[in-house]
Amino acid sequence: GAGVSQSPSNKVTEKGKDVELRCDPISGHTALYWYRQSLGQGLEFLIYFQGNSAPDKSGLPSDRFSAERTGGSVSTLTIQRTQQEDSAVYLCASSRQGAGYGYTFGSGTRLTVV
Amino acid sequence: QQQVKQSPQSLIVQKGGIPIINCAYENTAFDYFPWYQQFPGKGPALLIAIRPDVSEKKEGRFTISFNKSAKQFSLHIMDSQPGDSATYFCAASSGDYKLSFGAGTTVTVRA
């Protein structure tokens, strides 16, 4: 597609429920990244996929967070047993080969845990 | 810990003024330094980027100054306009690895 597409754009969930966030990167982009942006804060790295290599999961804050990328394209970020501190905007970005080519970000999913 | 330190947290200028945002880093392996602009409700968008082999880069009204020895770089917005009001993030990466972002600066340009 023309840009990075994320869905849903907004998600309200009850504490303890599981949520799935989807990212559709730009076609042909081999690198895909997930970041988290809390209100008024910077961008916190979560996970990085590059081609067929093992993902860099070093930024995932707990084992409640997981992500996968199927067929080198669409990615899903899953948060199990959501907590109120998980409330944030989750941003996905893709890049042609890696960070040195610049990221294109999606508009994000705003997650609110009540 | 934050690998890229950004300041100030916010700033307000009059139309036509020159907001300046500063960033500092410690990792000498960083070799790519982009700036991103973010409007409310949108994802950050790449604005301008520099590599350490040059000391300055201009694109339109946006200028990056880079000081390799001091491990600092800055963004200047010339002749700022109200439409430039946004949050700006500096970032850095080593090779094609992931970007590390600064905490962001909210710029307000008053008409």
Side-chain angles (χ1 to χ4, degrees), chain B residues 27-94:
Chain B
N27 187 346
T28 55
F30 284 153
D31 60 2
Y32 175 70
F33 303 88
W35 286 87
Y36 284 78
Q37 179 188 54
Q38 184 179 34
F39 294 106
K42 300 291 186 183
L46 179 63
L47 190 61
I48 185 173
I50 197 168
R51 295 194 183 268
D53 52 344
V54 296
S55 60
E56 184 176 277
K57 183 174 181 179
K58 295 182 181 181
E59 282 188 10
R61 295 182 293 104
F62 300 91
T63 299
I64 301 179
S65 297
F66 185 81
N67 186 330
K68 187 174 180 179
S69 60
K71 292 183 285 187
Q72 295 175 348
F73 58 111
S74 60
L75 178 71
H76 295 59
I77 307 175
M78 305 302 183
D79 186 28
S80 59
Q81 302 296 313
D84 297 328
S85 297
T87 299
Y88 293 82
F89 293 94
C90 62
S93 72
S94 170

Side-chain angles (χ1 to χ4, degrees), chain A residues 33 35 37 40-43 45 48 50 56 58 91 97-108 110, chain B residues 2 9 32 34 36 38 41-46 51 87 89 93 95-104:
Chain A
Y33 311 82
Y35 284 78
Q37 186 173 26
Q41 300 298 308
L43 286 80
F45 168 75
Y48 163 40
Q50 173 58 281
D56 174 359
S58 60
L91 290 162
Q97 282 183 255
Y101 292 84
Y103 291 177
T104 301
F105 280 93
S107 292
R110 180 175 297 278
Chain B
Q2 200 150 38
Q9 186 175 6
Y32 175 70
Y36 284 78
Q38 184 179 34
K42 300 291 186 183
L46 179 63
R51 295 194 183 268
T87 299
F89 293 94
S93 72
D96 281 336
Y97 197 46
K98 65 179 187 289
L99 286 171
S100 296
F101 286 86

